[in-house]
Amino acid sequence: MPDIVDTAINAGSFNTLVTAITTAGLDTALKGSGPFTVFAPTDEAFSKLESGFVESLLEDVIELRKVLEYHVVSGKIAAADLAQLKQATTTAGSDLKIDASNGVKVNDATVVTPDVAADNGVIHVIDTVLVPQ
């Protein structure tokens, strides 16, 4: 089974995310043994951001890493377990708010496709990019 990065590449709807992961140098880590839970925004989610935001992030690797690490949680958290949580701590050290009262929301993002299996964890596809406050 492919790892998280290759699973995202193979899906074809995470081109911006994969570019960002590679630019930030996080591809090696996310190809590691993990396990990881990744809240993966689609290309459509990135397109909702204000014009120029992604481009400026890609030029600021430190800030880019902060944003990307805000989408990753150590450990493999399946959707059924995620729905039982109120928060999850990211690899950036910040907490994401989890709300399963009407579907599953992570901060302001909705999980649109849960439990995409990867060799070293799980991907939950989200419709909004998570930006740390």
Side-chain angles (χ1 to χ4, degrees):
M1 180 180 295
D3 59 48
I4 285 180
V5 175
D6 289 338
T7 299
I9 290 168
N10 294 340
S13 56
F14 302 106
N15 296 320
T16 305
L17 179 62
V18 170
T19 297
I21 287 169
T22 304
T23 300
L26 293 175
D27 50 333
T28 304
L30 289 175
K31 285 179 160 290
S33 58
F36 305 103
T37 298
V38 176
F39 298 99
T42 60
D43 292 333
E44 186 177 327
F46 276 100
S47 73
K48 292 183 197 177
L49 294 169
E50 66 185 61
S51 179
F53 184 79
V54 173
E55 294 76 10
S56 67
L57 262 186
L58 290 173
E59 293 174 7
D60 184 348
V61 174
I62 293 170
E63 197 60 33
L64 178 62
R65 285 182 73 104
K66 286 181 193 172
V67 170
L68 292 173
E69 290 174 358
Y70 194 60
H71 290 79
V72 180
V73 174
S74 291
K76 182 178 179 180
I77 306 171
D81 298 323
L82 188 64
Q84 305 303 311
L85 299 176
K86 297 290 181 220
Q87 67 183 31
T89 303
T90 68
T91 56
S94 304
D95 289 334
L96 296 172
K97 185 178 79 179
I98 311 295
D99 179 0
S101 61
N102 184 17
V104 176
K105 289 186 77 76
V106 179
N107 287 359
D108 294 327
T110 300
V111 175
V112 293
T113 307
D115 292 338
V116 177
D119 187 51
N120 60 346
V122 65
I123 296 171
H124 300 296
V125 182
I126 56 175
D127 66 352
T128 304
V129 177
L130 304 171
V131 180
Q133 301 302 336

